[in-house]
Amino acid sequence: MPKVGMEPIRRAALVKATIAEIGEAGTLDVTVSQIAKRAGMSSGLAHHYFGGKDQIFLAAMRHTLALYAAEVRGALSMACTPQDRIGAIVRASFSHSHFQRDVIAAWLNFYVLAQSSQQARHLLGIYQRRLRSNLIFALRPLVGLRAVDVAEQLAGMIDGLYLRQSLGQSLVDPERAIRHVMRAVALELAQGPSR
Amino acid sequence: MPKVGMEPIRRAALVKATIAEIGEAGTLDVTVSQIAKRAGMSSGLAHHYFGGKDQIFLAAMRHTLALYAAEVRGALSMACTPQDRIGAIVRASFSHSHFQRDVIAAWLNFYVLAQSSQQARHLLGIYQRRLRSNLIFALRPLVGLRAVDVAEQLAGMIDGLYLRQSLGQSLVDPERAIRHVMRAVALELAQGPSR
DNA sequence: ATTTTTATTGATTGACGGATCAATCAAAAA
DNA sequence: TTTTTGATTGATCCGTCAATCAATAAAAAT
């Protein structure tokens, strides 16, 4: 059975299984054995490739973050005007794929982990700065010096509406969240550029 | 030593200790023994009064929620105009006490727990509905039919800015968050009432 | 053909933690 | 005084889990 070049395959399978397990449990309280079993291997192999539970989680986080980043990049690549860029970021942030059970669980646990894990905090920082700077870049031509403030405002709204949609008891309505953010954008744009 | 009527005292001590422990760990991964020790009693007694770890956590959550609710009520009681009411809600939401390490940890873990615990989800629902309806009530006289939409927008911004402030690497700046929300309010108010 | 490297297992270890329980103690009630 | 009730402890039970390790197997290198 043993073939060569298994490492990337095993790692990918473990990352995928980790996210699935976390999604089912809602917590990071999942065992390495559960993850390994779902990924079709023994627990020992999981340790062999990742070194420990923490590293498995971090890899899963990195993967989740990378998926989101790719989605944003993809949407941005098709935007021509600054307005389109903002719309692209917002739509990507509320895309269908983000409201999957396991993705939501990954993000929430990510936040929790960021309090105690240096590496998780670092990763989260990357996400936050990227969202912020993407927004600032798109806003600059539209609102001038106010770009930074508006970007922080919008970033907050995006994260917060995502949270409320994810944990609200009513079914998620991404379109509604998108409208809310875009309305705030429209009001700011109506103010014209600069301060 | 044994006196009568210890129950409420013990329960309060346990709740306080639980929040402190969670704050230090950043996780719900704290042992009943740790909590009990910090509260100055044996682990058996903690089980005696709460029945189990889950119930201890929920009590701690209820307490955190109650503190926040009291803060909002207090601020609202001194507000006369609708504008004041909105300002009161926003300021209470970003008050100094909310950015304590242990309070932040409680909220983040609360979110995580809400995915898997029926009771936690229910509690969170109460918080979310209360914030929403407080905002709608204050907004109605100002923006008429748009109140619901604006309230959801603001609620999202409040939760999201709290999250970003709490987990950002730069030091927290509640005033800045408050300005961001209040600016969004001002822009909406400038639109006048109704739709 | 032999050695080395990579892949893989699953048993094992060592530690930890939630819950339970019997036993103790003192205040209140009878 | 005796009984009952509530408070309290800490050892113990039972289970779990992360991590390690020796052993095995197959491919690749020599």
Side-chain angles (χ1 to χ4, degrees), chain B:
Chain B
M1 296 171 194
K3 294 168 188 170
V4 87
M6 280 284 95
E7 178 156 354
I9 297 169
R10 294 304 197 186
R11 291 182 86 101
L14 282 168
V15 163
K16 197 178 160 193
T18 301
I19 295 171
E21 282 294 325
I22 293 174
E24 258 182 32
T27 322
L28 295 188
D29 266 324
V30 292
T31 71
V32 175
S33 298
Q34 282 171 354
I35 295 170
K37 187 177 181 182
R38 183 186 284 256
M41 71 195 80
S42 72
S43 69
L45 201 51
H47 278 95
H48 175 66
Y49 283 125
F50 280 102
K53 208 182 176 183
D54 306 349
Q55 298 309 311
I56 300 181
F57 283 150
L58 282 171
M61 301 293 180
R62 265 181 232 114
H63 185 249
T64 303
L65 211 55
L67 284 188
Y68 170 76
E71 208 159 345
V72 172
R73 261 200 316 278
L76 278 178
S77 72
M78 295 185 301
C80 297
T81 70
Q83 284 92 336
D84 282 351
R85 293 184 70 85
I86 297 175
I89 296 168
V90 175
R91 257 176 282 112
S93 298
F94 292 107
S95 85
H96 179 63
S97 59
H98 272 60
F99 288 105
Q100 300 302 308
R101 212 186 146 73
D102 49 3
V103 177
I104 292 171
W107 276 99
L108 294 182
N109 283 286
F110 194 8
Y111 288 141
V112 167
L113 199 60
Q115 294 172 107
S116 57
S117 155
Q118 174 60 48
Q119 306 187 65
R121 184 161 44 251
H122 179 243
L123 260 178
L124 184 58
I126 291 174
Y127 157 75
Q128 288 184 337
R129 278 191 298 274
R130 189 155 46 203
L131 175 55
R132 192 182 124 108
S133 78
N134 277 337
L135 286 171
I136 291 177
F137 182 74
L139 285 166
R140 189 77 74 191
L142 299 172
V143 300
L145 293 175
R146 289 202 327 276
V148 172
D149 281 336
V150 177
E152 282 174 13
Q153 195 189 31
L154 295 183
M157 216 184 305
I158 289 171
D159 286 358
L161 287 175
Y162 176 71
L163 199 62
R164 290 180 78 89
Q165 290 272 330
S166 296
L167 292 175
Q169 43 272 295
S170 52
L171 31 153
V172 295
D173 184 355
E175 296 305 323
R176 195 173 175 82
I178 293 172
R179 278 206 312 276
H180 288 150
V181 180
M182 295 313 285
R183 169 161 178 94
V185 172
L187 290 186
E188 284 289 351
L189 295 204
Q191 299 297 110
S194 180
R195 172 173 274 153

Side-chain angles (χ1 to χ4, degrees), chain A residues 1-2 4 30-32 44 47 52-53:
Chain A
M1 296 170 195
V4 87
V30 293
T31 71
V32 175
H47 278 95
K53 207 182 177 184

